[in-house]
Amino acid sequence: MKKTSHKNQRINGEVQRELSRIITMEIKDPRINPMTSVTDVIVTPDLKYCKAFISVLGDAESGRETIEGLKSATGYIRRELARSINLRNTPEITFVLDNSIEYGIEMSKKIDELLN
């Protein structure tokens, strides 16, 4: 497995911060849950593609609707990302629902039940 370079890690962090800002502050789509966060971003080394992992606090239906809303706003998000970050290429964004936080909470509850 190839490690990501320091430059690529910086780009991932910057894109993650900007995506979080754009999603929480600028998008007004009612399908997008207000408790949406960007947990991780992976940008390919050639800066052509980006995979953004999105976590939504709520039920599965809310998560699905949020991903649908983000997919419909991809063009706007990409344009705003190009305005705020000076990259050679603005990556095409793919949104993926990240359930790791809910999974961690569920596992923590199960461990607590076993200990008590």
Side-chain angles (χ1 to χ4, degrees), residues 27-44:
I27 296 181
K28 304 297 183 212
D29 192 333
R31 294 177 289 182
I32 297 175
N33 190 323
M35 297 301 290
T36 300
S37 60
V38 181
T39 57
D40 195 18
V41 170
I42 299 173
V43 179
T44 58

Side-chain angles (χ1 to χ4, degrees), residues 110-116:
K110 288 182 180 180
I111 290 171
D112 288 344
E113 287 175 6
L114 288 175
L115 294 177
N116 292 332

Side-chain angles (χ1 to χ4, degrees), residues 1-10 12 42-45:
M1 187 170 173
K2 184 178 175 185
K3 288 188 176 182
T4 57
S5 68
H6 183 66
K7 176 185 169 190
N8 209 11
Q9 289 175 348
R10 279 194 343 257
N12 289 345
I42 299 173
V43 179
T44 58

Side-chain angles (χ1 to χ4, degrees), residues 15-27:
V15 170
Q16 181 178 354
R17 276 191 296 281
E18 284 302 314
L19 278 178
S20 294
R21 183 188 62 77
I22 292 167
I23 290 171
T24 57
M25 302 290 191
E26 297 183 17
I27 296 181

